[in-house]
Amino acid sequence: MSTHRILITGAAGFLGSHLSDALLAQGHTIVGVDSFVTGSKENVAHLAGEKRFSLLEADLVNPLPSAVTEKTWDRIYHLASPASPVGYVKHQITTLKVNSLATMNLMELAQRDGARIFVASTSECYGDPLEHPQKETYWGHVNPIGMRSMYDEAKRFMEAATMAYRRERGVDTRIVRIFNTYGPRLAQNDGRVVVAFITQALRGEPLTVQGEGSQTRSLCYVEDEIQGFMALMESDYHLPMNIGNPDEVSMLDLAKEIRELCGSRSEIIHTPLPPDDPKQRCPDITLARKILGWEPRIARQEGLARTVAFYRRKLGM
């Protein structure tokens, strides 16, 4: 396999750091860029001595820094963006800009270099879906002015911009729609359900389930998700593709599973549902299976056990 010079935006984030690990293991050279709005240097601290990895602090909604433009790239992975309700509601304008202005800046760079560019879209493009499970052909059910719109609509714009650059400028593009992903390095304070339940259970605090807990999510372990990213990048498929795990679970059942894995006696309490919270979220991964030969391998019980072990160590418990 040939090795590439790769640019990863959001490299100090949850997914970006795991992607960096996987690509380095294949022998590639990586420059990571992160503004640290939601990313953390701790996520890539273990790469400090790696000669094929460097990390640049920069905000890509501004003109691209010279450290990026002076190099020639083979592959660009655009993962930069707040990616949880806590992050994107706190940083609404930044979320809109990084998925629009930064996306277009990077498309121009990809066009200049003849690089292949991969953009991280989201299952949030489907909104609170009226189709279940969600196929890539479904156009979605999104509130364009709601409390998640700065993320939903920014990602929908990202997809539109990507297709425009492909059609008009011939840029070599890939689009992934990411479903709920979990594993080590998720930020503890960003509100994502797996790490929230684990932290609460390990500390003996009540597990806070929103609403009745009947709403579902489909959780993909990060190692599987990253393998899907890399397979899509090296494929010939340019339309949006779901990468996620179709193993669906209700939030109440997930809370019970995590409580048991943690050996916790925490009670489960219920809090109000946030606005526009999807009632169901489950990917149809027929395309990924057919075109990439990809599907998730790590069962939820195993992935959750690995994740609990990570946070047990992190919390010193």
Side-chain angles (χ1 to χ4, degrees), residues 13-144:
F14 167 54
L15 291 175
S17 65
H18 283 282
L19 177 62
S20 297
D21 289 345
L23 290 169
L24 286 167
Q26 291 184 341
H28 303 296
T29 299
I30 296 170
V31 174
V33 183
D34 208 293
S35 66
F36 299 104
V37 170
T38 55
S40 170
K41 292 180 181 178
E42 183 182 357
N43 287 339
V44 289
H46 62 288
L47 298 177
E50 173 54 67
K51 294 181 179 179
R52 289 179 291 107
F53 179 84
S54 58
L55 184 65
L56 172 68
E57 183 171 356
D59 187 345
L60 297 177
V61 303
N62 300 315
L64 297 177
S66 58
V68 170
T69 59
E70 289 173 358
K71 294 181 174 65
T72 301
W73 305 99
D74 303 306
R75 299 284 188 270
I76 300 170
Y77 283 89
H78 182 28
L79 273 60
S81 178
S84 71
V86 169
Y88 53 69
V89 171
K90 181 178 180 181
H91 303 287
Q92 299 185 30
I93 305 302
T94 293
T95 300
L96 287 161
K97 286 184 174 182
V98 77
N99 287 293
S100 56
L101 297 176
T103 297
M104 297 176 79
N105 287 341
L106 291 163
M107 289 290 162
E108 298 280 346
L109 182 65
Q111 180 185 353
R112 185 200 74 178
D113 291 353
R116 182 174 297 173
I117 181 168
F118 172 109
V119 297
S121 187
T122 173
S123 60
E124 293 285 345
C125 286
Y126 301 125
D128 186 6
L130 303 179
E131 173 181 295
H132 191 79
Q134 293 86 57
K135 298 183 182 70
E136 290 88 348
T137 51
Y138 177 53
W139 290 359
H141 180 230
V142 175
N143 179 353

Side-chain angles (χ1 to χ4, degrees), residues 237-314:
Y237 194 77
H238 70 273
L239 294 173
M241 182 178 289
N242 294 336
I243 297 291
N245 192 329
D247 182 20
E248 193 176 4
V249 62
S250 76
M251 294 301 92
L252 182 58
D253 286 343
L254 180 65
K256 292 175 180 177
E257 285 182 25
I258 288 175
R259 181 173 61 178
E260 183 176 350
L261 281 168
C262 291
S264 172
R265 296 183 178 179
S266 294
E267 63 175 324
I268 293 174
I269 62 174
H270 295 264
T271 60
L273 275 173
D276 300 321
D277 190 61
K279 298 175 187 66
Q280 292 179 301
R281 187 60 63 73
C282 181
D284 183 314
I285 61 168
T286 302
L287 266 179
R289 285 183 170 128
K290 178 180 177 181
I291 293 171
L292 307 181
W294 176 90
E295 62 182 345
R297 306 290 182 187
I298 298 169
R300 188 171 68 246
Q301 188 79 6
E302 180 183 351
L304 288 175
R306 294 185 192 182
T307 309
V308 167
F310 173 85
Y311 288 101
R312 196 184 292 278
R313 291 192 299 272
K314 187 176 178 67

